[in-house]
Each structure stands twice: as structure tokens, then as C-alpha cells.
Amino acid sequence: MERLSTFQALQGTLPGAGLSWLDQHRRESLAAFTAHGFPTTRDEEWQYLPASSFSGTQFQTEGPGIEDTFDQSLKLPGCLTLVFKDGQRIASDQSPLPQGLEILKLQDALLRAPEEIKALLELPEPASRHSLSQLVAALAGEGVLIRVAAGIRIEQPIQILHLNSRPDHLSAIRHFIRLERNAEATVIETHAGPNQTSYLALSMTRIRLEENASLDHYKHQCEGDQGRHFGGIYADQAPTSRFRQTQAALGSAIARTEIHSRLERASECELEGVFLAQDRAQLDTHTRLRHAGPHATSRDDYRGIAGGRGRGVFQGRIIVEPNAQKTKAEMQCRNLLLSQDAEIDAKPQLEIHADDVKCSHGLTVGQLDPGAIFYLASRGVGEDEARRLLTYGFANEIVERIRPDALRQRIQDELSQRLTYPVAGSNPA
Amino acid sequence: MLSIRQLEARVEEKPILKGLNLEIKAGEVHAIMGPNGSGKSTLSHVLAGRPGYEVTGGSVTFDGKDLLSLKPEERAREGVFLAFQYPVEIPGVSNIYLLKAALNAIRRHRGEPEVDAMDFLQLVKARIRSLNLDEQFLYRGVNEGFSGGEKKRNEILQMAILEPKLCILDETDSGLDIDALKVVADGVNALRSPDRSFVMVTHYQRLLDYIKPDFVHVLAQGQIVRSGGPELAHELEAKGYGWLESAPGI
């Protein structure tokens, strides 16, 4: 690969370069990426959405200096917002942080607390090993460490706003979130970019919830229509911790989200999400919940919508380790196809190695209910509007549960806008 | 207002309505009674334009227009309202959102501007109070998790907001206890006016104690076999439907 030398040179300039364990981690990741290249459909984890569709354009990691301007409307009111533009931190609220909350740029964290980052990278639940995660590991120099001290509850949601603006740009970001015992926080990741601009945005977020900590994590993916996105969220949950994650994947040409969690004793994990694949978008959601201790509870509830020539993929895996007795795990994925040419592939996978557990999964793929369309018609609502309303309602069942008002409202507004006539490309002849 | 002539319709190839005639004038309340399978609900759905109900003969004229040539939403915008026996649940779409979308669709059809948000909220709040419904009701998903009584009251609420000319009530009394029935009946009675007509389809006479009809018709085997005043309903209650089906000429 001709870009190998460029990447190797880049590694030498990344924050934390010179820390031997980190150099090694980055070198090995780059070597693995180079050796195997992008995975293919022969790899079960990628069978529906070949990662090679992420390659193609010669993405650039460098460019002229980043301007400090951005679309302020993406900043959610009431949040403490950190802004990354084309992979670089550009601005943040100047107000002092609440007591017990620390937010460090990754480069500062690597200077001041390298062992903490190392420990987070070495947590038992690994990120997926594939070319995209390896590329992030090899190239990411920016990101933040968010730490909440024991027993502290941070009321104000923390928004990490990722903006992409440059054509053919590759950005790779790594975040770390650590909630100490009994700490509580809400973190929102927003991933956005302009339409008609091709770029590759990669990010990984490592989460550690110590005993009885509680994190509400949201991911709003509204990348531009030519943007390509990979975002991994990998959590390790100590006993009795709670992790709630909600994803709204509404944009981009090709996007993959991975959400993993490893649950220790009596911890709880709730994953919810909705994706809307319109036009030719390909949206993949991939969850993996590993029950590693007894009495833990997990719930997946996803809604998928595909219209036009859009394609959606949901792969949900639940692994129950031998000692994880009394596990309760429920996985549900309901999907809606809006056009003949749309496609949704949904695959639940249960791997149960304990005998006293309650695990279930349900999966449906359907179309809009003609009875409901008639009901709306009988109230004067025309068919296009009825389809739009019903599709909105299907997605909104997840979205309306989003707790931060500003985020919920923004996603509802965006859903409404995206579901304009004709709904998801059921073109009138 | 509504003129049904020799209406024939079938569902899944099976003939259900076999030459039905009915005239309804503005301000009248007609009850259509009949045994199960006589075609009562089919009539409601044919009038509202439900897909799958195929009209094979006859005509329906509504306010001078050929009703059968209109799409369901066009019929609604012209002023036909069907209160469903089994209202459909639409999770994720709030009641108030649907009410507003429906009212605006009808207003656009009439060439009126969309309703002002504040006026609309006041109108809706006044109506829900009269139906003994909590304001929170407006922000729940349409019929989602509603009790039987709430669903029927919601149908009446929609009717009260949309102010149709012709209200068709399909088995509105089914599944209601007596208190809920009274609330629903009060709601309907409040809407009675000289330029609004009602067709009440019901199996039982009970509903007619609370909403007094001007005319009662008996539907059997796809035709109206008897018509009369309110006293006909009492006769049916006393004798059942059996005597009609064995009557000569049917």
C-alpha cells in the first residue's frame, strides 16, 4: 500500500508518540490493517455490508489549517458541547466544568494520565478487530477523556459534536469515558457533515462504568449523503452499573455502528436505536452484548426503515458466558420496508453457555399496515401523508423516549424533514 | 344528503350487499340494525371507501356527488366520517398530531388556511373536557394502549374536531360499559344539528336509548327489509331477528 509510509510518518507525529506501549499498539494496528486490508463478505461479521465499500477514494489525513467556524445550530441547547471539526478539536464552552467532571484532550490525557488510557484500552471487552477499528487505532490522535468522579451526578448532558467539512478527508477519533463508582452522566455524540461531499469519518469510544455507575449515551448520526462513517462504542460494565445507549442513524452513504458491552454481575444494559436508509444509503448496526456475570439484564430494541434503494443491516449478538446464570436478555428488531428495491437484513445471534437464563429475540420485517393507512384516509389524510405519518410514528416510538429534550426535538424535526414526499422513494410514475 | 340506490357490494368475492336502498336527509339520525353477518359493517366500510370492499352495482350520492368515485380521503374531506368499531392503534404519532393533520387536510380541501396553533389547542381542549378525557390523552400515541371506552371516545373527539356532515357510527356501543356509553352518547348528541346526519350501525337496541334515532332500519341478507320509527327497535329487542329472516318475501 502506497499510503503505508504516509501513515507511518503520521504515527510519529500523533499525540502520545514515544509512549512505547502506544507506539506498539499503533504500529501493530497499522500492520494488521495493511496485512488484511478491508474485510470482505466472506467474513461473517461483514457479510451484509462489505467494508471495502469504505475504501475507494484516496482519503487524505492532512490539509490546510482548520477554520474555527461551524454550524452553530448543531450545538444542542443546554449541553456542554465539545466540537471536533475534520478530526480536530476546535472549540469548547469556556465555562468552568461542574465539580467532579474532568474533560481532557486526548493528548493531555496521554501526558498526564497515560496509564489510565492504557488501562481503558486493555479492558476485557475488546473492540472489534477489523480494518476500520484498526485504522482508528493506528491513526487516531484526537479525542477526549471524560471522567466523572465517584458519587457525582452530572446533570448537564455532554455533547461531543463531530463535524466533517472537507472533501476526501479521513478523520479518526478516539474517546474515553470513565464513570467512577456511583457516578452518573449523559453523553451525546453527534456526527454530521455536508451533503455532496465524500469523506471518511472514523471514531471509537471506550466506556468504563465502575460499580453502580450510570451512563446515558446517545449517538446521532446525520452525516452528509456522500459521507462514510464508522463509529464503534465499546463498554465495560462493572457490577450493578447501568448503560443506556440510543442511536439514531439517519444520514451518510455508508455507515456502520458497533455497540458492544460486557456486563458483569447484576449490571443493566439497554440498547435502542432507529435507522432510516433512504435513496442508496447503506446503514449497518451491529451489537454485541456479553453477559460475563450472573443476574445481569440486557435489552435491545431496534427499528429499521429502508426506502428507495436503501439497505439496512442489523446484526445483534448476545453471548452468555457459563457463569452468567440468571441472565435476562431480550432482543427485538422491527423493520419496515417502504419500497420494492429496499432491503433489510436482520440477524439475531444467541450464544448461550449457561443453563439458567431467560433469553429471547424477536425480529420482524414488514410494510406499512393498509388498515392504518385507511384509518388515516378516513380522517382526510391522503395516502402520501399517511405513509409519512406512519413511518414517522414507527421511528418515533424509539425517538420519543430520548430524555434530553433538545436532542429528542432535533431528531424528531430531522425525521420529519427526511420523510418528505414521496416517503423514501416510492416514486409516483 | 345521502342517497343509496340498489347498492351491491362484495368482499373477497362474496356478495354481501344485495340491492340496498336508503335515503337520508340533513339532520336525520338513522339506526341500522340487523343480525351478525347481515352486512351492517360492510355498509359502513363501503361508504367510507375501504379497500377490499368491491362495489358491483348501484349508486351512492352524497350532497349531489358520486361518492363511490371518490378516494377515502376525498370522502372524508367532503364531510363523511366513519367512527370505527375497532379504531386502529398508531404508536409514535400523538393524538394531537393526527387531529391537526386531519383538520388541516380538510381545511385545505375547502380552500381555508391551516388552523392557527393556539386556536386549535383551545378548540381541542374544550372538546376533550366535554368528553371527560384528560389533557394528557392528546399527547399519547393514537389509540395506543387505550381502553375500549377511550378508543370510542377518541373517535367521537375526532368527529367533534372535524365536524363532518355525515357521521357513520359502526357498532360504537360494542365493548362499552354503561357509563362509557353515556359519555359517548352525550358526545354524539352534542353534535346533532340540522345540517348534520348520522347513520348508527348497531346490533343492540341499547345505544338507541341514549341516542334517539328518527328512523330505524333492519338489514338482513344484504337488504333493508323493514323501516320504521324508534318503536321498531323495541320490537326487535323483544322479538329478536329470527322472525324477520323467516318473513315471506325475503
Side-chain angles (χ1 to χ4, degrees):
Chain A
M1 170 174 285
E2 60 189 66
R3 277 186 294 172
L4 180 58
S5 56
T6 319
F7 286 161
Q8 279 169 336
L10 178 67
Q11 284 190 330
T13 69
L14 293 175
L19 288 166
S20 63
W21 59 268
L22 185 57
D23 288 343
Q24 188 186 347
H25 175 71
R26 286 171 171 162
R27 252 195 332 269
E28 285 171 2
S29 299
L30 185 57
F33 172 74
T34 314
H36 299 106
F38 287 102
T40 71
T41 47
R42 282 194 297 277
D43 180 338
E44 196 189 26
E45 300 262 305
W46 288 90
Q47 68 186 110
Y48 298 113
L49 187 70
S52 55
S53 45
F54 281 90
S55 66
T57 316
Q58 288 283 324
F59 290 105
Q60 305 297 315
T61 51
E62 292 174 53
I66 306 281
E67 285 177 42
D68 229 18
T69 57
F70 65 97
D71 178 1
Q72 295 282 331
S73 75
L74 286 159
K75 243 175 113 162
L76 291 169
C79 292
L80 197 162
T81 302
L82 316 167
V83 185
F84 288 82
K85 189 170 172 188
D86 297 316
Q88 292 183 36
R89 174 88 177 268
I90 61 162
S92 67
D93 291 345
Q94 296 304 310
S95 49
L97 297 181
Q99 191 175 2
L101 171 64
E102 258 197 286
I103 299 179
L104 292 177
K105 289 168 87 161
L106 185 54
Q107 61 193 81
D108 295 338
L110 285 167
L111 282 175
R112 284 155 58 180
E115 291 306 313
E116 186 171 0
I117 298 294
K118 183 166 183 276
L120 288 166
L121 283 174
E122 288 171 351
L123 283 167
E125 179 62 14
S128 302
R129 289 181 209 284
H130 52 64
S131 60
L132 297 179
S133 59
Q134 282 153 352
L135 204 51
V136 181
L139 301 181
E142 289 264 3
V144 287
L145 167 65
I146 297 172
R147 192 198 297 128
V148 182
I152 297 288
R153 175 182 177 161
I154 305 297
E155 293 282 350
Q156 190 180 23
I158 301 159
Q159 182 193 20
I160 312 176
L161 176 53
H162 306 81
L163 299 164
N164 297 283
S165 69
R166 293 180 180 181
D168 301 328
H169 191 262
L170 185 162
S171 60
I173 291 187
R174 291 200 89 146
H175 300 303
F176 298 86
I177 300 171
R178 185 155 81 87
L179 268 53
E180 295 180 356
R181 292 172 58 117
N182 300 315
E184 289 182 35
T186 298
V187 175
I188 299 166
E189 288 188 24
T190 306
H191 298 265
N195 284 338
Q196 293 160 341
T197 306
S198 171
Y199 58 83
L200 179 56
L202 308 173
S203 72
M204 293 207 288
T205 303
R206 273 271 176 178
I207 297 167
R208 171 61 177 167
L209 304 182
E210 293 178 0
E211 255 185 276
N212 206 38
S214 177
L215 177 67
D216 283 5
H217 184 276
Y218 297 92
K219 175 175 173 180
H220 177 197
Q221 188 271 94
C222 52
E223 304 276 15
D225 59 6
Q226 301 299 313
R228 304 175 201 193
H229 170 99
F230 165 73
I233 297 159
Y234 310 102
D236 270 81
Q237 293 186 242
T240 68
S241 62
R242 289 170 302 283
F243 177 46
R244 280 188 295 259
Q245 207 291 328
T246 301
Q247 184 200 195
L250 307 177
S252 87
I254 299 171
R256 178 178 172 106
T257 291
E258 292 178 349
I259 304 162
H260 295 185
S261 191
R262 179 177 178 278
L263 292 88
E264 294 179 30
R265 179 181 52 78
S267 57
E268 294 171 19
C269 178
E270 282 184 37
L271 305 182
E272 298 190 324
V274 61
F275 69 76
L276 173 65
Q278 291 175 296
D279 302 321
R280 290 172 179 273
Q282 301 187 49
L283 302 180
D284 180 4
T285 297
H286 195 116
T287 68
R288 186 167 82 198
L289 297 175
R290 181 185 300 279
H291 283 259
H295 294 279
T297 312
S298 70
R299 192 172 67 80
D300 281 50
D301 189 358
Y302 283 87
R303 298 292 165 92
I305 303 168
R309 292 175 177 274
R311 188 163 184 204
V313 179
F314 173 79
Q315 289 198 69
R317 177 179 288 194
I318 296 170
I319 302 158
V320 181
E321 293 187 348
N323 66 333
Q325 300 295 2
K326 305 287 182 190
T327 286
K328 273 194 214 158
E330 267 179 68
M331 176 162 42
Q332 206 192 154
C333 178
R334 290 173 56 194
N335 298 285
L336 185 57
L337 284 174
L338 297 174
S339 76
Q340 292 276 329
D341 296 321
E343 182 179 328
I344 291 179
D345 300 287
K347 187 161 106 176
Q349 291 170 294
L350 300 184
E351 285 176 34
I352 300 173
H353 305 289
D355 52 17
D356 185 11
V357 302
K358 276 188 192 159
C359 295
S360 65
H361 64 82
L363 192 157
T364 60
V365 180
Q367 292 163 2
L368 292 173
D369 171 18
I373 292 176
F374 173 66
Y375 184 72
L376 294 173
S378 75
R379 271 61 183 138
V381 178
E383 187 173 341
D384 280 346
E385 170 81 1
R387 290 173 62 87
R388 198 183 71 78
L389 259 180
L390 293 172
T391 307
Y392 175 87
F394 181 79
N396 190 42
E397 275 189 87
I398 297 289
V399 176
E400 69 189 357
R401 294 186 214 143
I402 291 175
R403 295 177 194 204
D405 294 337
L407 179 67
R408 184 180 62 249
Q409 193 61 53
R410 168 168 282 278
I411 293 175
Q412 286 176 330
D413 290 349
E414 188 184 331
L415 258 180
S416 281
Q417 280 164 21
R418 288 183 183 270
L419 293 173
T420 47
Y421 302 114
V423 164
S426 54
N427 291 307
Chain B
M1 173 174 285
L2 184 74
S3 175
I4 304 175
R5 301 256 165 86
Q6 289 299 317
L7 184 64
E8 294 176 21
R10 58 186 185 185
V11 181
E12 290 171 356
E13 305 293 313
K14 189 177 174 217
I16 308 284
L17 301 182
K18 303 167 185 169
L20 186 143
N21 293 291
L22 187 63
E23 291 289 331
I24 296 176
K25 295 195 177 66
E28 292 177 351
V29 177
H30 291 244
I32 301 199
M33 304 185 68
N36 290 329
S38 59
K40 301 189 301 289
S41 278
T42 298
L43 175 62
S44 313
H45 286 126
V46 164
L47 292 177
R50 187 179 195 114
Y53 289 72
E54 188 191 355
V55 175
T56 51
S59 67
V60 179
T61 311
F62 174 68
D63 262 358
K65 292 196 172 75
D66 174 10
L67 190 71
L68 300 178
S69 71
L70 302 178
K71 290 186 195 170
E73 61 269 30
E74 293 166 342
R75 300 179 194 198
R77 293 169 195 167
E78 288 289 336
V80 176
F81 183 96
L82 170 63
F84 280 50
Q85 181 178 7
Y86 303 110
V88 179
E89 295 195 13
I90 307 178
V93 176
S94 69
N95 234 350
I96 192 156
Y97 196 102
L98 169 59
L99 284 170
K100 199 170 174 188
L103 182 59
N104 279 332
I106 289 168
R107 289 175 68 98
R108 277 195 300 272
H109 178 72
R110 294 185 193 142
E112 296 168 8
E114 296 204 345
V115 64
D116 172 81
M118 290 309 291
D119 293 349
F120 175 70
L121 203 59
Q122 282 193 347
L123 169 72
V124 172
K125 284 184 177 175
R127 295 284 189 267
I128 59 165
R129 271 193 297 276
S130 66
L131 284 163
N132 272 352
L133 290 167
D134 189 88
E135 214 171 285
Q136 272 309 308
F137 188 77
L138 293 173
Y139 302 98
R140 289 166 65 186
V142 175
N143 294 320
E144 185 188 3
F146 287 15
S147 69
E150 284 177 327
K151 283 183 180 174
K152 297 297 169 78
R153 275 185 280 172
N154 198 29
E155 296 292 281
I156 305 305
L157 172 65
Q158 293 172 1
M159 202 161 87
I161 301 287
L162 301 180
E163 302 189 317
K165 292 182 213 159
L166 174 67
C167 306
I168 305 162
L169 309 180
D170 187 9
E171 305 275 9
T172 290
D173 50 331
S174 70
L176 294 187
D177 62 28
I178 204 72
D179 292 331
L181 182 63
K182 279 181 187 163
V183 173
V184 166
D186 288 348
V188 171
N189 287 327
L191 290 171
R192 290 179 73 156
S193 85
D195 48 9
R196 180 171 297 134
S197 312
F198 290 83
V199 176
M200 290 189 289
V201 165
T202 178
H203 188 87
Y204 300 103
Q205 184 263 343
R206 187 177 71 146
L207 176 68
L208 309 184
D209 289 340
Y210 299 96
I211 307 172
K212 301 282 185 209
D214 301 305
F215 301 95
V216 174
H217 310 276
V218 181
L219 185 60
Q221 294 172 36
Q223 292 182 321
I224 288 183
V225 295
R226 280 283 295 274
S227 293
E231 73 287 349
L232 180 56
H234 293 284
E235 201 178 335
L236 288 169
E237 189 76 354
K239 296 187 187 173
Y241 290 109
W243 61 281
L244 284 161
E245 290 180 34
S246 57
I250 299 171

